[in-house]
Amino acid sequence: DPGSRTLFVGATEAVLAIDTDRDEIKRVVRMDALTATMGLNDLTIDNPVGLTFHPVENRLYLAHLDGSFVSVYDLAGDRFLPQLIPVKGYFPAWVMANDNVSKIWVANARSDSLSVIDTKTRTVEKVIDIHACHPFPGRVDFAAGGQTSQTVKLSGLKTTGACTFSTPAAWLSATPVGDATPQTFNVSVDPSV
């Protein structure tokens, strides 16, 4: 929060509010306060790994890695709001907001998706599949003096988008083979480079 010069940091069982002028912790938001607010006394809610600050609302939006949801903490009221926002994905990790914080994007690491949250309604308005070219085969092997090209098929695609391939290595290249589904690439090495 540039206004109060506060840095919010997610820790395993708490969020720390750090005074950036004095480099001191000025507030600790404990996650057990969330379980009490939600009436979840037997559930431990940890790992607020992604967070963003909404300056107009004076609220923190926290993505919980272990819970597949976003919680909202009201800094002025020093309390969690009694509503969790399910992200419709697994292992939410990173949180980004647009300039006016009317939308928040939550990257769901295990489901290769982005949940788009409307901060006015505090609901997910859309889920974007970002798993366009994943998973690529774990390895492609070329033996010295052997073949210099292989055909590789991408597996597990759940998108209609086209996949691309890029590498900083001048000796390695890949070109798509038509419009095959699953997508297929010719992968080649140039041993002269």
Side-chain angles (χ1 to χ4, degrees), residues 87-108:
V87 293
K88 301 178 184 175
Y90 301 104
F91 282 22
W94 302 277
V95 179
M96 294 83 38
N98 61 353
D99 288 342
N100 65 1
V101 199
S102 62
K103 290 188 182 195
I104 294 172
W105 293 270
V106 179
N108 304 306

Side-chain angles (χ1 to χ4, degrees), residues 88-141:
K88 301 178 184 175
Y90 301 104
F91 282 22
W94 302 277
V95 179
M96 294 83 38
N98 61 353
D99 288 342
N100 65 1
V101 199
S102 62
K103 290 188 182 195
I104 294 172
W105 293 270
V106 179
N108 304 306
R110 284 284 171 92
S111 55
D112 289 338
S113 65
L114 287 173
S115 296
V116 183
I117 296 174
D118 180 325
T119 58
K120 286 186 185 197
T121 62
R122 289 194 287 282
T123 59
V124 174
E125 65 179 30
K126 184 178 185 180
V127 177
I128 302 169
D129 179 14
I130 58 172
H131 149 252
C133 295
H134 180 70
F136 195 77
R139 52 188 289 162
V140 178
D141 294 318

Side-chain angles (χ1 to χ4, degrees), residues 4-26:
S4 67
R5 301 180 58 79
T6 303
L7 172 66
F8 298 100
V9 179
T12 302
E13 296 179 7
V15 172
L16 307 175
I18 299 171
D19 181 324
T20 58
D21 291 328
R22 298 182 314 184
D23 293 331
E24 294 176 0
I25 297 171
K26 63 181 184 179

Side-chain angles (χ1 to χ4, degrees), residues 25-134:
I25 297 171
K26 63 181 184 179
R27 181 187 288 188
V28 176
V29 177
R30 295 174 44 98
M31 290 303 105
D32 56 5
L34 177 59
T35 57
T37 298
M38 300 307 296
L40 302 171
N41 296 325
D42 60 338
L43 178 66
T44 302
I45 299 173
D46 292 335
N47 296 325
V49 295
L51 53 98
T52 192
F53 175 70
H54 194 307
V56 174
E57 294 179 349
N58 197 25
R59 292 179 175 159
L60 286 174
Y61 286 78
L62 309 165
H64 296 265
L65 183 67
D66 297 333
S68 293
F69 62 84
V70 170
S71 64
V72 183
Y73 187 78
D74 179 6
L75 290 159
D78 197 23
R79 65 182 180 90
F80 281 97
L81 299 185
Q83 173 192 5
L84 300 177
I85 305 167
V87 293
K88 301 178 184 175
Y90 301 104
F91 282 22
W94 302 277
V95 179
M96 294 83 38
N98 61 353
D99 288 342
N100 65 1
V101 199
S102 62
K103 290 188 182 195
I104 294 172
W105 293 270
V106 179
N108 304 306
R110 284 284 171 92
S111 55
D112 289 338
S113 65
L114 287 173
S115 296
V116 183
I117 296 174
D118 180 325
T119 58
K120 286 186 185 197
T121 62
R122 289 194 287 282
T123 59
V124 174
E125 65 179 30
K126 184 178 185 180
V127 177
I128 302 169
D129 179 14
I130 58 172
H131 149 252
C133 295
H134 180 70

Side-chain angles (χ1 to χ4, degrees), residues 139-193:
R139 52 188 289 162
V140 178
D141 294 318
F142 292 94
Q147 72 182 80
T148 59
S149 183
Q150 293 183 37
T151 299
V152 175
K153 287 186 179 182
L154 301 180
S155 61
L157 292 178
K158 294 181 181 176
T159 183
T160 56
C163 295
T164 61
F165 176 90
S166 65
T167 177
W171 55 269
L172 182 64
S173 65
T175 54
V177 177
D179 294 328
T181 303
Q183 275 197 281
T184 306
F185 286 85
N186 284 327
V187 179
S188 302
V189 294
D190 183 353
S192 68
V193 176

